[in-house]
Amino acid sequence: MKEIEWKIKIQLNILAFLLATAGTLCFPQILNLKENSLGFTNSIFSIFVWLLCFYAVKISLETIDLGDKRAWRIAALLAGLFTAAMLFGVRLDSVENVNFKDVGLWVSLPVLTCLFTVLVRKFWNFLGGMEEKRAALAAGGIGARAPRFKGKTADLLTFLFLLLCWLPVLLAVYPGFFVYDAQEEYIQVASRAFTTHHPLLHVLLLGGIICAVHKATDSYNLGIACYILFQMLLVSGSFTFLLSYLRRKRVSGILRLISMLYFGLFPVIVMFTLCSAKDALFTAALLVLLVCLLEMNQDSDAFFASKGWIAVSGVSAVMMMLFRNNGRYAFILLIPFLAAYQKRYRKRAILWAVLAILGCLLINGGLKLALQADDSENQEILTVPIQQLARTYKYEPQVFTEEDVDTLHEILPEEALVLYNARLSDPVKYRFVNEAFSADKWKYVKLWVKIGLKKPLSYLNAWLMTSYGFWYPDTVINVYAGNSVFTFTYEDSSYFGYEVELPGVRDSKIPWLDELYRRLSLEIEQEKVPILSMLFSPGGLFWLFAFVFSYMLYRRKYHIIMPCLMVLAVWATVILGPTYLPRYVLILWFALPLFAAVLLEEERFEKVV
């Protein structure tokens, strides 16, 4: 018996040696090194990487269940997608192109996938061990302490604490971050000329509050600040709702305290809470919906018997869809999975979802009719095709015949095409000729298909370039580099739109704090700090959520998967958008405490049978 165990141990050591060696040799393929750089290969650092890999793989192989095929398949899928993201992302970030003929890419893909698969399995094993220990403590009478404050008192204190954390920053950046199409939305209300380019409900809220306060006080700044205060109340309410839910689930007080401090102080949360863009209200509604989905699938009997839960979930779903169109698409994507899981309450779940969609359509349609809003624009839903045609025209012009060029110029004039920016579709998209496209849509669809069949990899690279920041963790968000706005020009970073668009004017009451947020928004200091930088990375947080999803899939915790699916559905809609910015995936930050609680205290969210 000992001889067999010894042979198995030797075999595992040999496997660990080979995998660690191959992985170390392939690591430069996922590092953003300058061309011909010896920073990794000609460095003792590579030895430390090999030792770490060998030790991690050896320990993993010795402690995990090698015969669990289902776990290996799920882990391999996650690891393979992550490896592909790293291999593609480093090339897109450095040369704006993935060369699919690169042998190093295709050799590294299976090698690094195998390495990361083993590490994923080991971490799953570690999390499973943590759950067993917590279950043993609970069985022995040791569990989460009873909260010091209960019910409404705790909720009120949480709500006020968050507002108190944000108020000094509001004073510092007074009247708030009035940016990301804010001026355009305000002008729609001021001029009574509405379009569906932006969600009409948000246009009315933003412009209506500013106009009303300006009329009463003759101050645009005060009007902007009043809107920001209104938004702060709603966002604080959504965070309080989540923390109250975690308290009722008896999630540990330490985790809830960390979550509350995170909501109150973490810069990304604060930035967007004080930003006039629709993203904060959309994400606040989405966060409430995620909690409702978790409760719906954890305890379906109680949920569908509760008018309160049904009302809150329905209102949050409608509001989420009204504040961003992609929310509607993501919600529709969720319905088949919800219907498949909710076998006992399938009809009620489908009815709930359909009524929410109808409510959104009726409200939006009513606003459009009442405001006589223009809906002739097409470029928002054609962002990807526009970029694909523009990129191919720039780099592969020979595939266009003279007739093709004439057809292309009808919808994208030459002055638009020369502005092609691989990371941002706006320069070309804003010059799209909607009238020509609407007159003969099939003519231009045929052109797009024709060119795509000739240069499919050019089309693929065009799409990857506007989306890779959402899935490549090492991305530096700088899509607006060189663009001048009202008060500055983007240089090192365009992480956040630190701006007050007219008619507002920056009037800081706490200049040093204002400067801190300016640096966080427009410089890359936080991205130079190892580990901490990943908390600011959309791509980094995405893979954290993907890990939670795959782990819950492996554990067959399908009731927890539903809110994960909603987050992934929102993410899937934004990768078809004009560029990658943190504001489009703000839910990755807002929902982080919820999924941290689910991952670290899984037993609190067991399915009620």
Side-chain angles (χ1 to χ4, degrees):
M1 188 68 179
K2 289 184 178 180
E3 184 179 350
I4 295 176
E5 291 177 356
W6 179 251
K7 288 182 179 179
I8 293 175
K9 192 171 184 178
I10 291 176
Q11 291 172 354
L12 292 178
N13 284 336
I14 292 173
L15 180 58
F17 173 84
L18 294 174
L19 193 53
T21 302
T24 304
L25 291 173
C26 292
F27 263 124
Q29 294 288 331
I30 60 173
L31 298 178
N32 202 345
L33 301 171
K34 294 181 180 179
E35 189 175 0
N36 298 322
S37 171
L38 301 177
F40 179 82
T41 56
N42 188 36
S43 169
I44 196 171
F45 175 67
S46 60
I47 299 296
F48 290 115
V49 171
W50 182 87
L51 290 171
L52 181 61
C53 285
F54 176 75
Y55 177 76
V57 173
K58 178 178 179 295
I59 295 298
S60 300
L61 292 174
E62 290 176 351
T63 55
I64 59 180
D65 180 5
L66 299 177
D68 190 343
K69 294 182 180 180
R70 181 175 179 274
W72 281 114
R73 286 194 294 267
I74 296 172
L77 178 61
L78 175 68
L81 292 174
F82 174 74
T83 303
M86 294 300 296
L87 290 169
F88 288 6
V90 71
R91 288 158 173 78
L92 294 167
D93 203 55
S94 57
V95 297
E96 299 186 355
N97 180 68
V98 177
N99 179 7
F100 291 93
K101 297 179 181 179
D102 182 359
V103 175
L105 186 155
W106 299 113
V107 170
S108 300
L109 182 58
V111 170
L112 293 176
T113 295
C114 291
L115 177 62
F116 292 138
T117 299
V118 173
L119 299 180
V120 167
R121 285 295 321 275
K122 175 58 181 176
F123 199 42
W124 285 356
N125 202 46
F126 170 74
L127 290 173
M130 286 180 58
E131 185 186 10
E132 291 176 3
K133 290 180 181 179
R134 289 194 302 268
L137 290 174
I142 304 175
R145 293 182 179 180
R148 182 172 298 180
F149 298 102
K150 298 183 179 180
K152 295 181 179 179
T153 302
D155 294 343
L156 178 60
L157 290 174
T158 300
F159 182 80
L160 294 175
F161 172 80
L162 294 175
L163 292 177
L164 289 173
C165 286
W166 300 334
L167 279 173
V169 185
L170 176 59
L171 292 174
V173 302
Y174 187 84
F177 298 111
F178 190 62
V179 68
Y180 294 129
D181 305 312
Q183 184 189 66
E184 184 180 336
E185 292 191 45
Y186 157 73
I187 289 175
Q188 286 192 38
V189 176
S191 65
R192 303 296 191 272
F194 296 94
T195 74
T196 56
H197 184 78
H198 302 290
L200 290 171
L201 179 60
H202 187 260
V203 169
L204 289 176
L205 285 173
L206 176 69
I209 290 175
I210 294 174
C211 287
V213 175
H214 175 259
K215 186 175 183 180
T217 65
D218 198 34
S219 172
Y220 286 113
N221 268 12
L222 186 58
I224 294 170
C226 286
Y227 173 78
I228 298 298
L229 283 168
F230 166 75
Q231 182 169 280
M232 286 166 60
L233 294 173
L234 294 182
V235 174
S236 181
S238 70
F239 291 158
T240 301
F241 179 76
L242 168 60
L243 293 171
S244 177
Y245 179 74
L246 297 182
R247 175 174 49 80
R248 293 196 302 273
K249 291 295 182 183
R250 300 188 69 80
V251 169
S252 71
I254 292 177
L255 185 54
R256 287 187 284 111
L257 176 61
I258 293 173
S259 298
M260 185 170 66
L261 292 173
Y262 165 79
F263 283 140
L265 302 174
F266 191 68
V268 176
I269 299 291
V270 180
M271 285 173 178
F272 286 99
T273 298
L274 305 184
C275 178
S276 62
K278 52 189 169 286
D279 309 288
L281 293 182
F282 163 77
T283 310
L286 177 56
L287 178 64
V288 174
L289 178 60
L290 295 182
V291 175
C292 294
L293 287 171
L294 183 56
E295 183 66 16
M296 176 193 294
N297 292 284
Q298 182 189 5
D299 190 354
S300 301
D301 292 342
F303 181 90
F304 285 105
S306 169
K307 294 180 180 179
W309 274 113
I310 293 175
V312 170
S313 61
V315 170
S316 62
V318 171
M319 291 297 104
M320 180 268 303
M321 290 186 279
L322 285 173
F323 282 120
R324 285 199 76 96
N325 288 333
N326 68 298
R328 190 187 316 158
Y329 307 142
F331 191 72
I332 291 172
L333 287 174
L334 181 73
I335 294 177
F337 297 98
L338 189 63
Y341 181 75
Q342 283 290 344
K343 295 179 180 179
R344 185 176 177 185
Y345 291 98
R346 181 172 296 158
K347 292 182 180 179
R348 292 191 189 184
I350 294 175
L351 178 62
W352 167 82
V354 170
L355 288 176
I357 294 172
L358 288 176
C360 168
L361 294 176
L362 287 173
I363 294 173
N364 207 47
L367 289 174
K368 178 182 170 182
L369 185 64
L371 300 173
Q372 297 182 332
D374 176 33
D375 64 349
S376 60
E377 294 185 351
N378 297 286
Q379 62 263 44
E380 290 304 318
I381 61 173
L382 297 175
T383 287
V384 173
I386 287 172
Q387 279 292 91
Q388 291 171 331
L389 286 168
R391 181 185 180 92
T392 308
Y393 182 79
K394 179 176 181 177
Y395 294 116
E396 310 279 355
Q398 71 278 4
V399 304
F400 290 83
T401 64
E402 289 187 12
E403 183 181 355
D404 293 337
V405 172
D406 291 339
T407 302
L408 179 64
H409 283 168
E410 290 173 7
I411 53 172
L412 291 172
E414 184 68 30
E415 56 267 26
L417 292 166
V418 297
L419 297 175
Y420 172 74
N421 180 337
R423 292 175 170 82
L424 178 69
S425 71
D426 290 353
V428 179
K429 183 185 69 176
Y430 285 156
R431 293 162 177 81
F432 182 77
V433 183
N434 281 286
E435 296 79 9
F437 179 80
S438 298
D440 192 355
K441 294 180 181 179
W442 282 111
K443 176 181 179 181
Y444 306 107
V445 170
K446 290 177 182 177
L447 173 67
W448 175 71
V449 173
K450 176 183 177 182
I451 302 301
L453 291 174
K454 293 180 179 179
K455 291 294 177 180
L457 296 182
S458 177
Y459 272 29
L460 178 58
N461 274 305
W463 170 58
L464 292 176
M465 278 304 303
T466 55
S467 66
Y468 82 94
F470 291 133
W471 44 263
Y472 177 54
D474 299 349
T475 307
V476 174
I477 308 295
N478 198 17
V479 300
Y480 292 131
N483 285 15
S484 295
V485 287
F486 287 84
T487 60
F488 63 87
T489 298
Y490 286 103
E491 296 179 2
D492 293 338
S493 172
S494 43
Y495 189 86
F496 177 73
Y498 172 88
E499 179 64 282
V500 178
E501 296 180 2
L502 295 175
V505 179
R506 175 63 46 77
D507 183 20
S508 174
K509 314 300 182 184
I510 311 176
W512 69 266
L513 188 55
D514 176 41
E515 174 62 14
L516 173 62
Y517 274 86
R518 186 198 68 79
R519 291 172 65 88
L520 288 170
S521 303
L522 305 176
E523 299 183 12
I524 58 174
E525 297 304 316
Q526 70 272 18
E527 297 183 61
K528 295 179 181 179
V529 183
I531 300 175
L532 177 64
S533 63
M534 287 298 103
L535 291 177
F536 289 86
S537 168
L541 288 186
F542 165 72
W543 286 109
L544 177 59
F545 276 86
F547 177 85
V548 174
F549 175 81
S550 62
Y551 178 66
M552 294 304 162
L553 182 63
Y554 155 64
R555 296 293 302 274
R556 292 185 169 86
K557 305 289 184 178
Y558 300 117
H559 59 289
I560 295 176
I561 285 178
M562 211 58 63
C564 292
L565 277 173
M566 188 65 203
V567 172
L568 292 175
V570 170
W571 177 87
T573 61
V574 300
I575 62 174
L576 298 174
T579 190
Y580 49 86
L581 286 172
R583 72 188 190 99
Y584 296 135
V585 287
L586 189 57
I587 190 60
L588 297 178
W589 284 274
F590 274 38
L592 188 58
L594 173 62
F595 287 101
V598 165
L599 186 65
L600 299 176
E601 300 199 20
E602 183 187 338
E603 70 278 3
R604 306 289 180 190
F605 302 91
E606 289 296 330
K607 171 71 175 175
V608 176
V609 180

